Amino acid sequence: FDRDYTITVSAYINGDDEVVGLFVTAVAAPAPAHVHGSFTLDDSVTETNSTCTTKGQKPVYKCGVAGCNEADKRWLDSAGTTVVANGNDKKDLAAHQYAAGTDESGSGGTDNTGKCVCSVCGDSHETYNSGNSKPGQAGCSICTAAGMPST
């Protein structure tokens, strides 16, 4: 057997308190093992997009079988093949959102003319119109559009 069964046995006892026979009074099969299924999106987890500073949240699924003994367990797919573990439910960071800097006084009095500036985190680097000989920033759409070689 692949599961343990419970068997109840009673005994025939004679007048001298000797067992003279045994008989089975009940056999109880264990409850069948839970099989996960009917996976549904976990609406307590909101899918979010990544930015250049924050990883986004992937959608996750939960078992839809009533009485699931692992109600806190989550999966990355609706087939239940990949369990959420070690942060695999997070999206990769997104690329910076660079735009050409045009404010000569910039934030804090810093001149950002001739620089690409990320609108999300403020990361910046010199670029196409600064007259510099530095290469463009890898992944920067402004530098790429200007034909600058990447670092």
Side-chain angles (χ1 to χ4, degrees), residues 3-8 24-31:
R3 297 182 285 173
D4 294 328
Y5 289 77
T6 302
I7 300 172
T8 305
V24 175
T25 57
V27 176

Side-chain angles (χ1 to χ4, degrees), residues 40-98:
T40 58
L41 274 174
D42 182 350
D43 57 5
S44 71
V45 177
T46 303
E47 181 179 10
T48 58
N49 291 324
S50 294
T51 68
C52 57
T53 59
T54 307
K55 291 183 175 187
Q57 174 67 51
K58 294 177 184 178
V60 295
Y61 296 81
K62 60 184 177 180
C63 177
V65 176
C68 178
N69 59 349
E70 294 180 299
D72 293 336
K73 196 173 196 177
R74 296 295 180 263
W75 290 263
L76 292 179
D77 59 318
S78 61
T81 56
T82 307
V83 174
V84 171
N86 300 319
N88 65 349
D89 60 332
K90 301 298 181 201
K91 297 178 180 179
D92 291 336
L93 289 175
H96 288 287
Q97 300 298 310
Y98 288 116

Side-chain angles (χ1 to χ4, degrees), residues 101-113 115 117:
T102 57
D103 182 0
E104 291 184 16
S105 60
S107 62
T110 304
D111 183 1
N112 68 11
T113 302
K115 293 183 178 181
V117 181

